[in-house]
Amino acid sequence: AERNGNEKYFDCLAMDSDTDMFTELPEKATTIELEAPSQFLNEDRSRYPYLTEEMEIGAKGAERQRSVGRYKLDSRGTPDFSDHFDTITKAAREHLQRLNNDYDRNRDSYNLFLFHSLGGGTGSGTFPLAGTVLHHLGNTIEANYGIDVYVGGVGILPLVMQDPEV
């Protein structure tokens, strides 16, 4: 996307548990692959009340299980939640620094938008935690840079085929 012919005003960070979804991103997009470390899974089932024994936690995707999507963002291991938080924070700060010369603090605001799918497990499962991260990041940027930050979230609904006779 461009603003007055300049794409530097927009940046993209994509987070998913299925890296096949990263194929159509802008060239310079930052990506975060969410994984669940198998070495902790049995112990974590007792630590995370939202993980049940019936849930299958595979290497790829969340298989329409919101709790699995959340676990892949919130889990420990390498990388873990703090690594993802650092990646998101670094990407936002680097973007803000690239804008610094053209940024008019009296006129412009810095906007953080979270677009997520409601049709699977990763987007819908990570939205509350990712939204909290962006809210915290927005507050931190406002405090450190003295600029207005707006945080928004957009849920993308899946295509639902409906039988008109039902």
Side-chain angles (χ1 to χ4, degrees):
E2 293 186 13
R3 174 183 172 185
N4 298 329
N6 194 335
E7 66 183 36
K8 77 175 183 179
Y9 290 100
F10 301 91
D11 209 351
C12 176
L13 182 142
M15 178 170 52
D16 206 323
S17 58
D18 182 356
T19 56
D20 291 344
M21 299 295 119
F22 294 157
T23 58
E24 303 212 12
L25 294 173
E27 185 178 314
K28 295 181 181 181
T30 301
T31 60
I32 296 174
E33 179 182 357
L34 301 177
E35 303 174 274
S38 59
Q39 71 267 28
F40 301 117
L41 184 55
N42 289 332
E43 182 182 340
D44 286 348
R45 284 193 193 272
S46 63
R47 295 178 67 196
Y48 294 83
Y50 58 85
L51 290 179
T52 65
E53 292 296 325
E54 298 81 37
M55 290 181 182
E56 293 183 29
I57 302 175
K60 189 173 180 179
E63 300 179 10
R64 300 193 185 280
Q65 301 171 94
R66 288 185 180 112
S67 297
V68 172
R70 175 183 171 182
Y71 177 63
K72 287 188 173 191
L73 174 58
D74 196 21
S75 64
R76 54 195 170 132
T78 305
D80 65 6
F81 176 76
S82 64
D83 295 319
H84 300 318
F85 182 85
D86 290 346
T87 299
I88 294 167
T89 301
K90 180 181 176 192
R93 287 192 176 150
E94 286 176 355
H95 182 248
L96 187 59
Q97 288 171 352
R98 285 193 304 272
L99 294 177
N100 202 28
N101 293 336
D102 293 337
Y103 195 84
D104 183 347
R105 285 172 169 73
N106 297 318
R107 178 195 69 211
D108 296 328
S109 63
Y110 191 68
N111 303 303
L112 298 167
F113 288 102
L114 174 59
F115 293 89
H116 63 100
S117 169
L118 295 173
T122 304
S124 57
T126 60
F127 177 73
L129 188 53
T132 301
V133 167
L134 288 186
H135 179 73
H136 173 77
L137 179 58
N139 287 341
T140 302
I141 291 171
E142 278 186 343
N144 291 338
Y145 293 90
I147 58 176
D148 292 328
V149 178
Y150 296 97
V151 178
V154 177
I156 311 297
L157 296 172
L159 177 63
V160 177
M161 303 306 282
Q162 188 173 21
D163 184 348
E165 294 187 24
V166 174

